[in-house]
Amino acid sequence: MGIFGRKRRTEGGSAGRHAAPEADDTFEDEEYDEDGPELSDVSDGPFDVTDFDDDGIPRIDLGSVKVPVPDGSQVQVEMDPEAGGVRAVHVVTEQGQITVSAYAAPRSGGLWREVSSELADQLRADGAKVTIGRGVWGLEISAIIGDVALRFVGVDRPRWMLRGVIAGPQSEAAGAVEVLREIVRRTIVDRGDAPMPVRTPLTITLPEAVAEHIAAQQQQG
């Protein structure tokens, strides 16, 4: 059974046409085949908003991304005091905290390979044990920092890149990977038509009710 409560698509719908295969969870310590084939076309998601067919899955609308919220999870908003906006929105599950972010990218794709290499180097510099392997969409990064296990996935699409990360206890690492992939797979990205430099984070906006609740808390505090 999937982690989301949702309406099932009728037979012959897009979920049936593009059923995602199971990922290869074989990870290589500090090594990766740079010439290996990309796997970004093997899944039915994430979706561009222009191509999305409603599937009945509950999502939180954050403007540039619409992120599915699993049953029993919580949504946490991280504000940026200096900029006065939203820094990130996290989905907190039993397996760990998930953060999904979208960025402007070239039409030709390939941004995740660059970003992931830099990310792996930074994690190593911070003292993490880093392993790299291939998953549903291609390269994935696994890292251990103290008692925390991290998994990063990235998906390249024309004009945008989606990055997802889950951070949680090592004891939940095996199940955390599939929870992360399922959320990334069902995320919708609204890139917009405005030109913007590559790597620019797509703006996060909060639903009106959430924004009002946070504003009220700030006034009280």
Side-chain angles (χ1 to χ4, degrees):
M1 179 178 296
I3 63 173
F4 300 106
R6 65 179 185 271
K7 301 175 184 175
R8 292 186 178 275
R9 296 193 183 197
T10 57
E11 186 174 354
S14 60
R17 291 194 305 268
H18 303 287
E22 295 183 359
D24 176 6
D25 283 321
T26 302
F27 272 65
E28 304 168 359
D29 189 8
E30 305 287 349
E31 297 180 1
Y32 183 69
D33 181 6
E34 290 290 340
D35 297 322
E38 293 295 336
L39 301 179
S40 60
D41 60 345
V42 302
S43 173
D44 61 334
F47 306 96
D48 189 276
V49 68
T50 59
D51 300 326
F52 177 65
D53 180 21
D54 184 26
D55 54 10
I57 293 175
R59 293 174 172 85
I60 181 170
D61 188 346
L62 302 174
S64 59
V65 290
K66 298 168 179 40
V67 181
V69 180
D71 296 336
S73 63
Q74 297 180 339
V75 175
Q76 293 183 352
V77 178
E78 181 181 348
M79 302 300 294
D80 187 338
E82 296 182 1
V86 180
R87 178 175 294 162
V89 176
H90 311 290
V91 177
V92 182
T93 70
E94 293 182 355
Q95 291 76 20
Q97 176 180 284
I98 297 170
T99 309
V100 178
S101 308
Y103 303 83
R107 291 184 180 276
S108 57
L111 180 58
W112 172 238
R113 183 176 291 276
E114 298 178 17
V115 170
S116 60
S117 177
E118 296 168 4
L119 177 60
D121 289 343
Q122 183 59 56
L123 288 165
R124 294 185 186 107
D126 291 339
K129 174 177 174 55
V130 177
T131 54
I132 301 175
R134 187 173 292 275
V136 173
W137 298 281
L139 185 149
E140 293 185 2
I141 299 174
S142 178
I144 301 294
I145 302 178
D147 295 330
V148 178
L150 300 163
R151 178 68 72 100
F152 296 83
V153 303
V155 185
D156 284 312
R157 293 287 188 262
R159 302 182 67 241
W160 54 262
M161 181 199 78
L162 191 68
R163 188 189 79 172
V165 56
I166 187 166
Q170 293 189 43
S171 60
E172 297 288 343
V177 176
E178 286 309 313
V179 174
L180 172 62
R181 288 172 179 160
E182 186 72 358
I183 285 182
V184 168
R185 180 179 291 119
R186 299 305 182 190
T187 294
I188 304 165
V189 178
D190 188 350
R191 160 66 171 77
D193 297 326
M196 62 182 72
V198 170
R199 298 193 181 210
T200 300
L202 303 189
T203 302
I204 294 175
T205 58
L206 298 176
E208 184 176 353
V210 177
E212 291 176 352
H213 177 70
I214 291 175
Q217 286 185 323
Q218 291 175 336
Q219 289 178 356
Q220 294 173 1

